[in-house]
Amino acid sequence: MRISHALCVLRDDIRAIFRNDPAARNLAEVLLYPGLHAIILHRFAHALYRRKVPFIPRLISQISRFLTGIEIHPGARIGRGFFIDHGMGVVIGETAEIGDWVMLYQGVTLGGTGKQTGKRHPTVEDEVVIGVGAIVLGAITIGRGARIGGGAVVVKDVPPHSTAVGVPARIVARRDPITGVSRRVEQLPDPEGEMLRSLHDKVLELEARLIELEAVSHVHRKDFHFKHNELPEQLWQTLLDESASVEEEYNQGAGI
């Protein structure tokens, strides 16, 4: 029964690779993935760790780290369908708990914040995606279906089906788990948009001043003028259209 369970877990780990990595074309290639090697070695080390076998689990962990560049403490609890994409530099601490169908990118750290004992590493619930270089610290919980942006530093709980980005990480969107539709909850700074708004306002101001000068000088060349506000509105509409598409891509998790 235990062997059959282990084979079922291995099957799900392989399925997770096919489901999340478009570069996975066949089983032979997937068997070369360092993330798969790391999780297989970890599951063996964790089984020995739970039986309180001394030294050997840690030795297996260090061998895995040497071969794959992925460091997983033997005490970490990891569910099925776990996928580490590329994987170099990933660190998972001793008391970390990871649910089913979780995906990590390279450079992710699930670490502690000090030398305290007991539970000191994150709990990552099912179907979470953590982006490149993200750092999750302390005994916090990343809710089911959450997404952590690349390079984020997370030190507080993240609600389920939320997107967190930044340093320190903040919740910027929430996703309906049924429809998959995202809704922004925070507007991030947009320096390029602010610059274009300023240019838009300045063009309108200069246009108004030019009309006043022409009225005083009694010289008016209609062919030198666009229809009132025509050019700025065209530019502004283009900005709005592009911003809407970029925002929609971001809400759907682009770049995470």
Side-chain angles (χ1 to χ4, degrees), residues 72-254:
I72 308 176
H73 192 282
R77 298 172 59 185
I78 299 177
R80 63 176 63 210
F82 182 61
F83 176 40
I84 303 176
D85 194 9
H86 298 290
M88 181 62 69
V90 168
V91 177
I92 301 176
E94 178 184 11
T95 60
E97 299 179 37
I98 300 175
D100 298 335
W101 305 103
V102 171
M103 180 177 180
L104 307 185
Y105 287 90
Q106 64 268 29
V108 170
T109 297
L110 303 181
T113 56
K115 296 183 179 180
Q116 68 270 29
T117 59
K119 176 65 172 171
R120 60 189 185 278
H121 296 99
T123 296
V124 180
E125 297 184 349
D126 299 347
E127 300 176 357
V128 170
V129 177
I130 303 182
V132 176
I135 300 174
V136 186
L137 299 176
I140 61 177
T141 299
I142 309 300
R144 180 186 181 96
R147 294 177 178 177
I148 309 300
V153 177
V154 186
V155 293
K156 295 182 179 179
D157 292 347
V158 176
H161 307 291
S162 299
T163 299
V165 301
V167 181
R170 294 176 294 177
I171 306 303
V172 297
R174 298 185 188 277
R175 189 175 66 261
D176 188 316
I178 299 177
T179 64
V181 176
S182 295
R183 178 177 60 85
R184 291 290 294 272
V185 297
E186 177 177 334
Q187 295 296 327
L188 297 178
D190 184 7
E192 292 185 1
E194 291 295 332
M195 180 185 67
L196 289 173
R197 291 186 189 93
S198 298
L199 290 173
H200 173 263
D201 294 339
K202 179 58 74 173
V203 168
L204 293 181
E205 177 189 343
L206 293 174
E207 181 73 15
R209 293 175 64 183
L210 181 60
I211 291 173
E212 291 178 1
L213 290 174
E214 289 180 344
V216 173
S217 62
H218 304 290
V219 176
H220 183 65
R221 294 287 302 277
K222 291 184 177 180
D223 53 320
F224 284 1
H225 293 274
F226 288 95
K227 183 179 178 181
H228 176 66
N229 210 25
E230 179 181 349
L231 181 59
E233 285 299 328
Q234 289 178 348
L235 292 174
W236 193 244
Q237 188 59 45
T238 300
L239 173 64
L240 292 177
D241 292 343
E242 292 181 354
S243 298
S245 62
V246 170
E247 181 177 352
E248 179 62 24
E249 290 179 4
Y250 179 82
N251 288 339
Q252 295 300 325

